[in-house]
PDB file of all heavy atoms in Angstrom:
ATOM      1  N   HIS A1319       0.817  -1.221   0.000  1.00 97.00           N
ATOM      2  CA  HIS A1319       0.000   0.000   0.000  1.00 97.00           C
ATOM      3  C   HIS A1319       0.852   1.273   0.000  1.00 97.00           C
ATOM      4  O   HIS A1319       0.341   2.357  -0.235  1.00 97.00           O
ATOM      5  CB  HIS A1319      -0.942   0.006   1.208  1.00 97.00           C
ATOM      6  CG  HIS A1319      -1.858  -1.175   1.238  1.00 97.00           C
ATOM      7  ND1 HIS A1319      -2.837  -1.381   0.283  1.00 97.00           N
ATOM      8  CD2 HIS A1319      -1.923  -2.233   2.088  1.00 97.00           C
ATOM      9  CE1 HIS A1319      -3.478  -2.504   0.554  1.00 97.00           C
ATOM     10  NE2 HIS A1319      -2.952  -3.044   1.635  1.00 97.00           N
ATOM     11  N   ARG A1320       2.156   1.113   0.267  1.00 98.00           N
ATOM     12  CA  ARG A1320       3.067   2.260   0.283  1.00 98.00           C
ATOM     13  C   ARG A1320       4.216   2.045  -0.714  1.00 98.00           C
ATOM     14  O   ARG A1320       5.352   2.462  -0.478  1.00 98.00           O
ATOM     15  CB  ARG A1320       3.614   2.500   1.696  1.00 98.00           C
ATOM     16  CG  ARG A1320       2.527   2.880   2.708  1.00 98.00           C
ATOM     17  CD  ARG A1320       3.130   3.245   4.058  1.00 98.00           C
ATOM     18  NE  ARG A1320       4.053   4.374   3.970  1.00 98.00           N
ATOM     19  CZ  ARG A1320       3.665   5.649   3.970  1.00 98.00           C
ATOM     20  NH1 ARG A1320       2.381   5.974   4.051  1.00 98.00           N
ATOM     21  NH2 ARG A1320       4.573   6.617   3.894  1.00 98.00           N
ATOM     22  N   THR A1321       3.863   1.393  -1.819  1.00 98.00           N
ATOM     23  CA  THR A1321       4.855   1.062  -2.850  1.00 98.00           C
ATOM     24  C   THR A1321       4.391   1.563  -4.213  1.00 98.00           C
ATOM     25  O   THR A1321       3.222   1.455  -4.560  1.00 98.00           O
ATOM     26  CB  THR A1321       5.078  -0.467  -2.897  1.00 98.00           C
ATOM     27  OG1 THR A1321       5.671  -0.881  -1.661  1.00 98.00           O
ATOM     28  CG2 THR A1321       5.991  -0.863  -4.044  1.00 98.00           C
ATOM     29  N   LEU A1322       5.351   2.092  -4.971  1.00 98.00           N
ATOM     30  CA  LEU A1322       5.126   2.527  -6.355  1.00 98.00           C
ATOM     31  C   LEU A1322       5.887   1.606  -7.289  1.00 98.00           C
ATOM     32  O   LEU A1322       7.066   1.322  -7.053  1.00 98.00           O
ATOM     33  CB  LEU A1322       5.620   3.965  -6.544  1.00 98.00           C
ATOM     34  CG  LEU A1322       5.783   4.465  -7.994  1.00 98.00           C
ATOM     35  CD1 LEU A1322       4.435   4.588  -8.693  1.00 98.00           C
ATOM     36  CD2 LEU A1322       6.538   5.800  -8.017  1.00 98.00           C
ATOM     37  N   LEU A1323       5.224   1.134  -8.350  1.00 98.00           N
ATOM     38  CA  LEU A1323       5.890   0.406  -9.432  1.00 98.00           C
ATOM     39  C   LEU A1323       5.856   1.283 -10.680  1.00 98.00           C
ATOM     40  O   LEU A1323       4.789   1.767 -11.080  1.00 98.00           O
ATOM     41  CB  LEU A1323       5.183  -0.918  -9.725  1.00 98.00           C
ATOM     42  CG  LEU A1323       5.644  -1.628 -11.011  1.00 98.00           C
ATOM     43  CD1 LEU A1323       7.085  -2.117 -10.892  1.00 98.00           C
ATOM     44  CD2 LEU A1323       4.710  -2.796 -11.367  1.00 98.00           C
ATOM     45  N   VAL A1324       7.018   1.478 -11.298  1.00 98.00           N
ATOM     46  CA  VAL A1324       7.105   2.179 -12.578  1.00 98.00           C
ATOM     47  C   VAL A1324       7.565   1.171 -13.619  1.00 98.00           C
ATOM     48  O   VAL A1324       8.632   0.566 -13.477  1.00 98.00           O
ATOM     49  CB  VAL A1324       8.091   3.363 -12.530  1.00 98.00           C
ATOM     50  CG1 VAL A1324       7.983   4.184 -13.817  1.00 98.00           C
ATOM     51  CG2 VAL A1324       7.844   4.241 -11.313  1.00 98.00           C
ATOM     52  N   ASP A1325       6.753   0.982 -14.667  1.00 98.00           N
ATOM     53  CA  ASP A1325       7.038  -0.056 -15.665  1.00 98.00           C
ATOM     54  C   ASP A1325       6.407   0.357 -16.990  1.00 98.00           C
ATOM     55  O   ASP A1325       5.331   0.978 -16.995  1.00 98.00           O
ATOM     56  CB  ASP A1325       6.452  -1.399 -15.200  1.00 98.00           C
ATOM     57  CG  ASP A1325       7.127  -2.608 -15.830  1.00 98.00           C
ATOM     58  OD1 ASP A1325       7.098  -2.727 -17.074  1.00 98.00           O
ATOM     59  OD2 ASP A1325       7.676  -3.417 -15.072  1.00 98.00           O
ATOM     60  N   ASP A1326       7.041   0.015 -18.095  1.00 97.00           N
ATOM     61  CA  ASP A1326       6.476   0.381 -19.401  1.00 97.00           C
ATOM     62  C   ASP A1326       5.567  -0.704 -19.963  1.00 97.00           C
ATOM     63  O   ASP A1326       5.005  -0.538 -21.046  1.00 97.00           O
ATOM     64  CB  ASP A1326       7.591   0.699 -20.409  1.00 97.00           C
ATOM     65  CG  ASP A1326       8.436  -0.520 -20.749  1.00 97.00           C
ATOM     66  OD1 ASP A1326       8.843  -1.246 -19.823  1.00 97.00           O
ATOM     67  OD2 ASP A1326       8.696  -0.748 -21.938  1.00 97.00           O
ATOM     68  N   SER A1327       5.413  -1.811 -19.257  1.00 96.00           N
ATOM     69  CA  SER A1327       4.590  -2.923 -19.734  1.00 96.00           C
ATOM     70  C   SER A1327       3.197  -2.896 -19.114  1.00 96.00           C
ATOM     71  O   SER A1327       3.047  -2.969 -17.885  1.00 96.00           O
ATOM     72  CB  SER A1327       5.259  -4.256 -19.391  1.00 96.00           C
ATOM     73  OG  SER A1327       4.359  -5.338 -19.537  1.00 96.00           O
ATOM     74  N   GLU A1328       2.185  -2.833 -19.957  1.00 96.00           N
ATOM     75  CA  GLU A1328       0.807  -2.857 -19.469  1.00 96.00           C
ATOM     76  C   GLU A1328       0.493  -4.178 -18.756  1.00 96.00           C
ATOM     77  O   GLU A1328      -0.189  -4.197 -17.735  1.00 96.00           O
ATOM     78  CB  GLU A1328      -0.166  -2.665 -20.642  1.00 96.00           C
ATOM     79  CG  GLU A1328      -0.177  -1.281 -21.226  1.00 96.00           C
ATOM     80  CD  GLU A1328      -0.886  -0.274 -20.347  1.00 96.00           C
ATOM     81  OE1 GLU A1328      -2.082  -0.456 -20.041  1.00 96.00           O
ATOM     82  OE2 GLU A1328      -0.229   0.716 -19.961  1.00 96.00           O
ATOM     83  N   ALA A1329       1.003  -5.280 -19.309  1.00 95.00           N
ATOM     84  CA  ALA A1329       0.727  -6.589 -18.714  1.00 95.00           C
ATOM     85  C   ALA A1329       1.320  -6.697 -17.316  1.00 95.00           C
ATOM     86  O   ALA A1329       0.706  -7.258 -16.399  1.00 95.00           O
ATOM     87  CB  ALA A1329       1.274  -7.700 -19.604  1.00 95.00           C
ATOM     88  N   VAL A1330       2.518  -6.158 -17.138  1.00 97.00           N
ATOM     89  CA  VAL A1330       3.164  -6.196 -15.821  1.00 97.00           C
ATOM     90  C   VAL A1330       2.429  -5.291 -14.840  1.00 97.00           C
ATOM     91  O   VAL A1330       2.190  -5.662 -13.685  1.00 97.00           O
ATOM     92  CB  VAL A1330       4.650  -5.808 -15.934  1.00 97.00           C
ATOM     93  CG1 VAL A1330       5.262  -5.600 -14.551  1.00 97.00           C
ATOM     94  CG2 VAL A1330       5.418  -6.877 -16.697  1.00 97.00           C
ATOM     95  N   LEU A1331       2.067  -4.100 -15.285  1.00 98.00           N
ATOM     96  CA  LEU A1331       1.323  -3.191 -14.415  1.00 98.00           C
ATOM     97  C   LEU A1331      -0.017  -3.787 -13.991  1.00 98.00           C
ATOM     98  O   LEU A1331      -0.429  -3.670 -12.834  1.00 98.00           O
ATOM     99  CB  LEU A1331       1.112  -1.851 -15.113  1.00 98.00           C
ATOM    100  CG  LEU A1331       2.365  -0.988 -15.281  1.00 98.00           C
ATOM    101  CD1 LEU A1331       2.117   0.135 -16.283  1.00 98.00           C
ATOM    102  CD2 LEU A1331       2.816  -0.412 -13.945  1.00 98.00           C
ATOM    103  N   GLN A1332      -0.679  -4.470 -14.910  1.00 98.00           N
ATOM    104  CA  GLN A1332      -1.956  -5.103 -14.572  1.00 98.00           C
ATOM    105  C   GLN A1332      -1.747  -6.233 -13.574  1.00 98.00           C
ATOM    106  O   GLN A1332      -2.544  -6.416 -12.643  1.00 98.00           O
ATOM    107  CB  GLN A1332      -2.638  -5.633 -15.836  1.00 98.00           C
ATOM    108  CG  GLN A1332      -4.047  -6.160 -15.588  1.00 98.00           C
ATOM    109  CD  GLN A1332      -4.942  -5.116 -14.945  1.00 98.00           C
ATOM    110  OE1 GLN A1332      -5.202  -4.050 -15.523  1.00 98.00           O
ATOM    111  NE2 GLN A1332      -5.429  -5.396 -13.731  1.00 98.00           N
ATOM    112  N   SER A1333      -0.675  -6.985 -13.753  1.00 98.00           N
ATOM    113  CA  SER A1333      -0.349  -8.053 -12.808  1.00 98.00           C
ATOM    114  C   SER A1333      -0.119  -7.480 -11.413  1.00 98.00           C
ATOM    115  O   SER A1333      -0.628  -8.004 -10.415  1.00 98.00           O
ATOM    116  CB  SER A1333       0.902  -8.802 -13.281  1.00 98.00           C
ATOM    117  OG  SER A1333       1.350  -9.726 -12.305  1.00 98.00           O
ATOM    118  N   ALA A1334       0.634  -6.385 -11.346  1.00 98.00           N
ATOM    119  CA  ALA A1334       0.913  -5.750 -10.054  1.00 98.00           C
ATOM    120  C   ALA A1334      -0.357  -5.175  -9.437  1.00 98.00           C
ATOM    121  O   ALA A1334      -0.553  -5.244  -8.221  1.00 98.00           O
ATOM    122  CB  ALA A1334       1.961  -4.652 -10.234  1.00 98.00           C
ATOM    123  N   ALA A1335      -1.230  -4.613 -10.277  1.00 98.00           N
ATOM    124  CA  ALA A1335      -2.500  -4.067  -9.776  1.00 98.00           C
ATOM    125  C   ALA A1335      -3.369  -5.173  -9.196  1.00 98.00           C
ATOM    126  O   ALA A1335      -3.959  -5.020  -8.115  1.00 98.00           O
ATOM    127  CB  ALA A1335      -3.239  -3.345 -10.906  1.00 98.00           C
ATOM    128  N   THR A1336      -3.442  -6.290  -9.897  1.00 98.00           N
ATOM    129  CA  THR A1336      -4.222  -7.432  -9.416  1.00 98.00           C
ATOM    130  C   THR A1336      -3.680  -7.933  -8.086  1.00 98.00           C
ATOM    131  O   THR A1336      -4.441  -8.286  -7.173  1.00 98.00           O
ATOM    132  CB  THR A1336      -4.188  -8.565 -10.456  1.00 98.00           C
ATOM    133  OG1 THR A1336      -4.754  -8.089 -11.680  1.00 98.00           O
ATOM    134  CG2 THR A1336      -4.957  -9.783  -9.980  1.00 98.00           C
ATOM    135  N   TRP A1337      -2.358  -7.939  -7.965  1.00 98.00           N
ATOM    136  CA  TRP A1337      -1.716  -8.428  -6.741  1.00 98.00           C
ATOM    137  C   TRP A1337      -1.907  -7.456  -5.584  1.00 98.00           C
ATOM    138  O   TRP A1337      -1.886  -7.868  -4.424  1.00 98.00           O
ATOM    139  CB  TRP A1337      -0.231  -8.666  -7.007  1.00 98.00           C
ATOM    140  CG  TRP A1337       0.476  -9.352  -5.880  1.00 98.00           C
ATOM    141  CD1 TRP A1337       0.449 -10.685  -5.560  1.00 98.00           C
ATOM    142  CD2 TRP A1337       1.312  -8.724  -4.912  1.00 98.00           C
ATOM    143  NE1 TRP A1337       1.231 -10.933  -4.448  1.00 98.00           N
ATOM    144  CE2 TRP A1337       1.769  -9.743  -4.037  1.00 98.00           C
ATOM    145  CE3 TRP A1337       1.730  -7.412  -4.695  1.00 98.00           C
ATOM    146  CZ2 TRP A1337       2.621  -9.485  -2.972  1.00 98.00           C
ATOM    147  CZ3 TRP A1337       2.580  -7.152  -3.626  1.00 98.00           C
ATOM    148  CH2 TRP A1337       3.019  -8.179  -2.779  1.00 98.00           C
ATOM    149  N   GLY A1338      -2.083  -6.172  -5.894  1.00 98.00           N
ATOM    150  CA  GLY A1338      -2.405  -5.239  -4.828  1.00 98.00           C
ATOM    151  C   GLY A1338      -1.463  -4.073  -4.621  1.00 98.00           C
ATOM    152  O   GLY A1338      -1.625  -3.313  -3.657  1.00 98.00           O
ATOM    153  N   ILE A1339      -0.482  -3.890  -5.510  1.00 98.00           N
ATOM    154  CA  ILE A1339       0.383  -2.712  -5.386  1.00 98.00           C
ATOM    155  C   ILE A1339      -0.459  -1.466  -5.656  1.00 98.00           C
ATOM    156  O   ILE A1339      -1.144  -1.378  -6.679  1.00 98.00           O
ATOM    157  CB  ILE A1339       1.589  -2.808  -6.328  1.00 98.00           C
ATOM    158  CG1 ILE A1339       2.531  -3.921  -5.835  1.00 98.00           C
ATOM    159  CG2 ILE A1339       2.345  -1.471  -6.394  1.00 98.00           C
ATOM    160  CD1 ILE A1339       3.755  -4.125  -6.674  1.00 98.00           C
ATOM    161  N   ARG A1340      -0.383  -0.509  -4.749  1.00 96.00           N
ATOM    162  CA  ARG A1340      -1.307   0.630  -4.814  1.00 96.00           C
ATOM    163  C   ARG A1340      -0.938   1.647  -5.900  1.00 96.00           C
ATOM    164  O   ARG A1340      -1.799   2.123  -6.639  1.00 96.00           O
ATOM    165  CB  ARG A1340      -1.339   1.345  -3.464  1.00 96.00           C
ATOM    166  CG  ARG A1340      -2.267   2.557  -3.481  1.00 96.00           C
ATOM    167  CD  ARG A1340      -2.301   3.253  -2.135  1.00 96.00           C
ATOM    168  NE  ARG A1340      -3.180   4.426  -2.173  1.00 96.00           N
ATOM    169  CZ  ARG A1340      -3.298   5.306  -1.195  1.00 96.00           C
ATOM    170  NH1 ARG A1340      -2.597   5.133  -0.079  1.00 96.00           N
ATOM    171  NH2 ARG A1340      -4.103   6.345  -1.316  1.00 96.00           N
ATOM    172  N   TRP A1341       0.347   2.001  -5.965  1.00 97.00           N
ATOM    173  CA  TRP A1341       0.764   3.089  -6.844  1.00 97.00           C
ATOM    174  C   TRP A1341       1.434   2.517  -8.100  1.00 97.00           C
ATOM    175  O   TRP A1341       2.405   1.765  -7.999  1.00 97.00           O
ATOM    176  CB  TRP A1341       1.728   4.030  -6.110  1.00 97.00           C
ATOM    177  CG  TRP A1341       1.102   4.655  -4.906  1.00 97.00           C
ATOM    178  CD1 TRP A1341       1.230   4.247  -3.606  1.00 97.00           C
ATOM    179  CD2 TRP A1341       0.225   5.784  -4.893  1.00 97.00           C
ATOM    180  NE1 TRP A1341       0.488   5.058  -2.781  1.00 97.00           N
ATOM    181  CE2 TRP A1341      -0.132   6.014  -3.540  1.00 97.00           C
ATOM    182  CE3 TRP A1341      -0.286   6.632  -5.873  1.00 97.00           C
ATOM    183  CZ2 TRP A1341      -0.986   7.040  -3.158  1.00 97.00           C
ATOM    184  CZ3 TRP A1341      -1.134   7.663  -5.492  1.00 97.00           C
ATOM    185  CH2 TRP A1341      -1.465   7.856  -4.151  1.00 97.00           C
ATOM    186  N   LEU A1342       0.909   2.875  -9.257  1.00 97.00           N
ATOM    187  CA  LEU A1342       1.382   2.321 -10.520  1.00 97.00           C
ATOM    188  C   LEU A1342       1.545   3.439 -11.541  1.00 97.00           C
ATOM    189  O   LEU A1342       0.699   4.322 -11.651  1.00 97.00           O
ATOM    190  CB  LEU A1342       0.393   1.278 -11.055  1.00 97.00           C
ATOM    191  CG  LEU A1342       0.127   0.104 -10.111  1.00 97.00           C
ATOM    192  CD1 LEU A1342      -1.170  -0.605 -10.481  1.00 97.00           C
ATOM    193  CD2 LEU A1342       1.290  -0.878 -10.136  1.00 97.00           C
ATOM    194  N   LEU A1343       2.633   3.367 -12.297  1.00 97.00           N
ATOM    195  CA  LEU A1343       2.947   4.425 -13.251  1.00 97.00           C
ATOM    196  C   LEU A1343       3.575   3.799 -14.491  1.00 97.00           C
ATOM    197  O   LEU A1343       4.463   2.942 -14.380  1.00 97.00           O
ATOM    198  CB  LEU A1343       3.935   5.394 -12.603  1.00 97.00           C
ATOM    199  CG  LEU A1343       4.071   6.805 -13.155  1.00 97.00           C
ATOM    200  CD1 LEU A1343       2.752   7.573 -13.035  1.00 97.00           C
ATOM    201  CD2 LEU A1343       5.181   7.538 -12.399  1.00 97.00           C
ATOM    202  N   THR A1344       3.116   4.223 -15.657  1.00 97.00           N
ATOM    203  CA  THR A1344       3.698   3.715 -16.898  1.00 97.00           C
ATOM    204  C   THR A1344       4.609   4.757 -17.529  1.00 97.00           C
ATOM    205  O   THR A1344       4.646   5.918 -17.102  1.00 97.00           O
ATOM    206  CB  THR A1344       2.599   3.294 -17.898  1.00 97.00           C
ATOM    207  OG1 THR A1344       3.198   2.528 -18.954  1.00 97.00           O
ATOM    208  CG2 THR A1344       1.889   4.504 -18.498  1.00 97.00           C
ATOM    209  N   ILE A1345       5.362   4.320 -18.528  1.00 97.00           N
ATOM    210  CA  ILE A1345       6.269   5.193 -19.279  1.00 97.00           C
ATOM    211  C   ILE A1345       5.729   5.307 -20.701  1.00 97.00           C
ATOM    212  O   ILE A1345       5.557   4.296 -21.394  1.00 97.00           O
ATOM    213  CB  ILE A1345       7.699   4.617 -19.306  1.00 97.00           C
ATOM    214  CG1 ILE A1345       8.275   4.523 -17.895  1.00 97.00           C
ATOM    215  CG2 ILE A1345       8.606   5.451 -20.217  1.00 97.00           C
ATOM    216  CD1 ILE A1345       8.568   5.850 -17.234  1.00 97.00           C
ATOM    217  N   TYR A1346       5.469   6.530 -21.145  1.00 97.00           N
ATOM    218  CA  TYR A1346       4.894   6.739 -22.470  1.00 97.00           C
ATOM    219  C   TYR A1346       5.922   6.702 -23.601  1.00 97.00           C
ATOM    220  O   TYR A1346       5.558   6.524 -24.754  1.00 97.00           O
ATOM    221  CB  TYR A1346       4.164   8.088 -22.525  1.00 97.00           C
ATOM    222  CG  TYR A1346       2.908   8.155 -21.696  1.00 97.00           C
ATOM    223  CD1 TYR A1346       2.656   9.264 -20.890  1.00 97.00           C
ATOM    224  CD2 TYR A1346       1.967   7.123 -21.702  1.00 97.00           C
ATOM    225  CE1 TYR A1346       1.499   9.347 -20.130  1.00 97.00           C
ATOM    226  CE2 TYR A1346       0.818   7.199 -20.949  1.00 97.00           C
ATOM    227  CZ  TYR A1346       0.589   8.313 -20.157  1.00 97.00           C
ATOM    228  OH  TYR A1346      -0.553   8.391 -19.398  1.00 97.00           O
TER     229      TYR A1346
END
């Protein structure tokens, strides 16, 4: 809940969101 993931992969970000990481950011 106090962690940010920065990743350019939509699939990875979705996996992290499903798992419960609160803060997510992609690279355009």
Side-chain angles (χ1 to χ4, degrees):
H1319 301 294
R1320 296 186 60 83
T1321 295
L1322 165 67
L1323 169 67
V1324 189
D1325 203 300
D1326 66 313
S1327 166
E1328 289 286 301
V1330 170
L1331 289 166
Q1332 187 56 62
S1333 172
T1336 300
W1337 188 78
I1339 291 180
R1340 179 180 179 188
W1341 299 98
L1342 302 161
L1343 201 62
T1344 193
I1345 298 291
Y1346 291 135

